[in-house]
Structure formats: C-alpha cells, structure tokens
Amino acid sequence: MSIKHVLFIVTNTHEIGPHKRPTGYFFPEIAHPVEVFERHGVAVEYCSPLGGAPSDDGYDESDPAQAAYRKGKSIRRLARSRRLAEVDVLDYDAVFVPGGLGPMADLATDPEVKQALARAH
C-alpha cells in the first residue's frame, strides 16, 4: 500500500483591498484538513506562489485542532513552502487550496495558480 500525497497550494497574499486589510490563508482551513489527512496516513506537502512562510488569518486558540497544528511539525514545513513553479501538481494524488481571502485573490489574479489547478484537473 503506497502513501497518498496531497499538495496544499497556500497563498502569499498578505493584504487585500483598498484599505490593505491583513489577510492570508484561513487558519482552520489548513488545521482541520491536515488533522484528518494525517490521521489517515496521507502525507501533506506545501507550496505557494512565492514560496516561504505564508500569512494566516482567523487563528482560534480555543479550537483544539488549530492549537495542535500551531504546535506541530506540519506548520514548520508550511513555513518553508516550496515555490509553486518548482512543483509538478501531477506528482500528487490531490491538490488542495485552503480558503481565506488570500487564496481568493490568488485564484482570481495569479496565472501560475490557475495553470496549476487546470493541470491538476
């Protein structure tokens, strides 16, 4: 039995809108899926358009899944995300885009994100 691999495409958008509201990926949209994937033996890898550490939004320390993710190994891998251009989405069993305002901006304006998702589809 081989291990399944899921690629999370995470945003590098740190602010949005005319008032430059701070944003990023919506924290529970990574914490909860990662908890489920890891419980079922699915490997999670991260990339982002620019690579590196993405900004998060909406962290709730009272949520056990979010608190565990914040303290876990996976968030450290997220902080060193690979650049999307370095990744072939076809090397993965699934591609996952966690929600939030940042990813919405990427989906609307980033041609590389659009191309990766079309290729995965």
Side-chain angles (χ1 to χ4, degrees):
M1 185 168 144
S2 65
I3 295 175
K4 299 290 185 187
H5 289 81
V6 175
L7 178 67
F8 279 48
I9 299 178
V10 184
T11 187
N12 289 117
T13 300
H14 301 290
E15 56 186 34
I16 194 167
H19 301 292
K20 301 197 181 290
R21 177 200 186 280
T23 194
Y25 68 88
F26 192 55
F27 201 89
E29 295 257 345
I30 287 186
H32 287 271
V34 166
E35 177 185 49
V36 173
F37 287 137
E38 288 181 348
R39 184 176 342 122
H40 289 90
V42 176
V44 173
E45 295 184 28
Y46 301 99
C47 71
S48 58
L50 303 175
S55 297
D56 65 76
D57 195 10
Y59 174 67
D60 178 0
E61 66 185 22
S62 69
D63 178 348
Q66 292 183 55
Y69 182 76
R70 175 75 81 190
K71 296 175 189 168
K73 293 179 182 177
S74 191
I75 198 168
R76 291 194 298 272
R77 289 193 314 273
L78 171 62
R80 297 183 312 274
S81 72
R82 293 168 56 197
R83 285 185 49 240
L84 180 55
E86 299 170 350
V87 175
D88 184 348
V89 295
L90 297 182
D91 290 340
Y92 297 87
D93 298 292
V95 174
F96 184 86
V97 179
L101 295 175
M104 287 178 27
D106 293 345
L107 292 170
T109 64
D110 191 308
E112 193 172 66
V113 170
K114 291 177 185 182
Q115 181 181 22
L117 293 175
R119 183 167 162 77
H121 183 270

